[in-house]
Amino acid sequence: MEALKKRIREEAKNQGSGILNVAGFVNHRIDAPLIFECACRFASIFRSANSGPTVVLTAETSGIGPGLLTASLLSVDLLFARKKIPITMTGQIYKTSAPLHTKESEVMLAVSGDQLGTADRVLIIDDFLATGKTIAALVRIVKQAEAELLGIGALIEKSFEGGRKLLRTKVSTNTPIVSLATIERIDPQPGREIVIAN
């Protein structure tokens, strides 16, 4: 996705310790036309005439933008895992913990059993695939619900953090894992080089 790679080259900030700040166009102020273009790419990859997804699953909050646009293009619902369980979420709850790299803490992710079930075919969409642990938590929720995982999409993959390898231990080798821009290396010092794969 050349448009996404271009924005990363021009505007992403290396904050050190492997943290890539894309707040100006991905996960704080969202460039809607750019993320729509990314969603179109996901939709074209994951759309299937007979057995496409019935729901797009993401984690609150950064995955909601690309997840919602992808779900809209696929004419399915978006379901996001909540970080706090509201009082309206009763009955069966699928939950698991996930680390938050940028906040250096762990968070609980929860989905109501009323909203995800065995009949669902799930596409996971998120902003980043880095260590893979947040997406792996979403995979665990899909498995708890005994739903079918159709694929995983991430706007940006930091390949040097090994998330794809981790996910391959959690999902079938037939499950597609798609990233639209791959970061091969980020200099450990803030403000230094960011290397994007061609």
Side-chain angles (χ1 to χ4, degrees):
M1 266 283 314
E2 285 309 313
L4 178 59
K5 291 176 184 178
K6 183 174 186 288
R7 290 296 291 277
I8 293 168
R9 288 187 190 99
E10 292 175 354
E11 296 179 43
K13 296 177 179 66
N14 173 4
Q15 290 193 206
S17 303
I19 295 175
L20 183 69
N21 184 337
V22 290
F25 56 99
V26 171
N27 53 21
H28 187 40
R29 180 174 180 147
I30 298 173
D31 181 333
L34 173 65
I35 302 306
F36 179 77
E37 188 178 340
C38 294
C40 287
R41 182 74 181 123
F42 286 138
S44 70
I45 292 168
F46 292 108
R47 181 180 286 116
S48 173
N50 299 320
S51 58
T54 59
V55 67
V56 171
L57 175 65
T58 193
E60 186 179 28
T61 59
S62 295
I64 291 176
L68 180 60
L69 289 170
T70 302
S72 178
L73 289 163
L74 291 169
S75 299
V76 300
D77 292 338
L78 173 72
L79 176 62
F80 63 90
R82 305 288 296 258
K83 291 179 182 174
K84 292 184 178 176
I85 299 175
I87 60 170
T88 54
M89 191 183 288
T90 59
Q92 175 74 50
I93 298 173
Y94 305 121
K95 57 187 176 180
T96 188
S97 63
L100 293 175
H101 186 52
T102 55
K103 295 182 176 66
E104 298 180 344
S105 62
E106 286 227 341
V107 68
M108 181 68 66
L109 294 177
V111 168
S112 170
D114 293 339
Q115 306 303 325
L116 185 65
T118 57
D120 281 308
R121 298 185 304 275
V122 182
L123 170 60
I124 293 173
I125 297 290
D126 209 355
D127 59 341
F128 273 96
L129 167 53
T131 64
K133 292 178 182 176
T134 300
I135 294 176
L138 294 173
V139 170
R140 288 194 297 275
I141 287 173
V142 172
K143 289 181 177 179
Q144 288 174 34
E146 298 181 2
E148 180 184 359
L149 178 63
L150 292 188
I152 296 166
L155 296 176
I156 302 167
E157 178 176 356
K158 295 192 285 182
S159 60
F160 60 92
E161 291 195 20
R164 184 176 291 262
K165 184 176 180 181
L166 172 75
L167 290 176
R168 277 286 163 235
T169 69
K170 309 291 182 190
V171 302
S172 161
T173 54
N174 297 327
T175 303
I177 302 172
V178 175
S179 55
L180 302 183
T182 301
I183 309 299
E184 292 183 334
R185 184 168 52 82
I186 298 176
D187 191 291
Q189 295 299 314
R192 299 279 180 86
E193 185 179 38
I194 300 166
V195 178
I196 303 172
N198 290 327

